Amino acid sequence: MRRLIIVALALMAGATFVKAQELKTKTDTLSYYMGMVQSQGLLNFLKQFNKDVYGEEEGIDMELFMKAFNSGVSGEGALVTPEAANEKLSTLVKEIKEATTMKKYGANKKAGEDFMKENAKKKGVVTTASGLQYRIITKGKGSIPTATQKVKVHYEGRTLDGKIFDSSYKRGEPTEFRCNQVIKGWTEALTLMPVGSVWEVYIPQELAYGERQAGDDIKPFSMLIFKIELLDIVKD
């Protein structure tokens, strides 16, 4: 890809290269150095863009990119205005990125859906309107927190393959946060649980991190399983 960009930049400049003796003034030198620095910025931008959108270093069509670049600089032969392109760019990037993520991690989504479908049939498992599932291990008798209240909890989270990615039990200390400051599945579960409850909660990917990756262990479209122990509602 680097070679393609260098060739394209050379073509944009008329397929000529500057010789040292042509840098006769400070302005000549400044102009050349600025072009050199900006070329590296463009290289790095395109490399990172392809990784972010396509998940690899190759992606966008460099020939079309440079044609559009030339049109934007010269103001001639453009298919769209820069303003129109900018307006539609973010939507297009989002669509391509979603398709790339689905292609790479779509199996996670299906595995989670299959699990939730079978899990819903098990005795004691409750499925809410949102698709959240839970199983009561210990039935609490305390108050039920609201979304804006702060709670103290012990918890352990694991992925579908059983890998524990976070555990307050292992740290030996419960944690505190407001119910609406966590993923949607947690918020819903906490606002259904009386204090003193211990639940196993099954969170579909759309109520967890969805297409985003969270750390090394939680891949896109991963459903998550938590043991949640609601210890108390914390007064501010």
Side-chain angles (χ1 to χ4, degrees):
M1 178 178 177
R2 181 185 177 89
R3 182 176 179 277
L4 286 174
I5 297 175
I6 292 172
V7 170
L9 290 172
L11 289 172
M12 184 178 69
T16 61
F17 296 93
V18 175
K19 297 179 181 179
Q21 57 265 33
E22 294 181 58
L23 305 181
K24 298 177 181 179
T25 68
K26 286 185 178 180
T27 298
D28 292 341
T29 304
L30 173 64
S31 301
Y32 183 82
Y33 285 4
M34 183 175 289
M36 182 60 69
V37 169
Q38 292 302 316
S39 72
Q40 297 308 299
L42 179 60
L43 285 169
N44 291 332
F45 167 77
L46 291 175
K47 184 177 181 180
Q48 188 60 50
F49 179 87
N50 279 330
K51 284 185 176 180
D52 290 342
V53 176
Y54 292 95
E56 52 192 27
E57 292 189 10
E58 300 292 340
I60 62 172
D61 185 312
M62 279 308 304
E63 183 178 355
L64 287 173
F65 175 89
M66 293 313 304
K67 284 181 179 179
F69 190 96
N70 283 331
S71 293
V73 171
S74 67
E76 298 178 358
L79 299 177
V80 294
T81 65
E83 293 77 16
N86 187 62
E87 184 179 342
K88 296 181 179 179
L89 186 61
S90 60
T91 299
L92 187 57
V93 167
K94 185 175 183 293
E95 289 174 355
I96 294 173
K97 190 172 182 179
E98 286 177 351
T100 300
T101 304
M102 180 61 74
K103 182 179 179 181
K104 188 173 182 179
Y105 295 105
N108 291 345
K109 185 172 184 290
K110 186 178 186 308
E113 290 172 348
D114 290 346
F115 173 87
M116 298 293 283
K117 184 177 179 180
E118 292 302 313
N119 196 54
K121 301 174 185 177
K122 294 181 179 178
K123 184 179 180 180
V125 173
V126 178
T127 302
T128 71
S130 71
L132 181 80
Q133 296 178 357
Y134 64 87
R135 179 176 63 85
I136 297 174
I137 299 172
T138 301
K139 188 174 183 179
K141 297 181 180 180
S143 299
I144 298 175
T146 64
T148 57
Q149 286 184 305
K150 184 182 289 186
V151 293
K152 179 186 289 187
V153 300
H154 255 316
Y155 68 92
E156 179 177 272
R158 65 184 190 274
T159 52
L160 187 56
D161 61 4
K163 185 172 185 178
I164 297 173
F165 57 84
D166 194 10
S167 174
S168 66
Y169 293 105
K170 286 188 176 181
R171 291 192 296 273
E173 184 177 3
T175 188
E176 297 180 4
F177 48 77
R178 294 192 187 281
C179 294
N180 59 5
Q181 292 179 331
V182 286
I183 57 176
K184 292 179 180 179
W186 262 79
T187 300
E188 182 178 352
L190 288 169
T191 54
L192 295 173
M193 296 177 68
V195 170
S197 296
V198 182
W199 288 9
E200 185 164 64
V201 180
Y202 313 91
I203 303 180
Q205 58 87 18
E206 61 270 23
L207 298 180
Y209 295 95
E211 65 184 28
R212 294 175 292 141
Q213 179 157 335
D216 294 331
D217 297 324
I218 302 175
K219 304 299 182 183
F221 302 121
S222 292
M223 65 85 55
L224 303 174
I225 303 171
F226 287 92
K227 175 185 176 183
I228 302 176
E229 182 178 356
L230 180 55
L231 301 172
D232 200 3
I233 298 173
V234 180
K235 294 182 178 180
D236 292 325

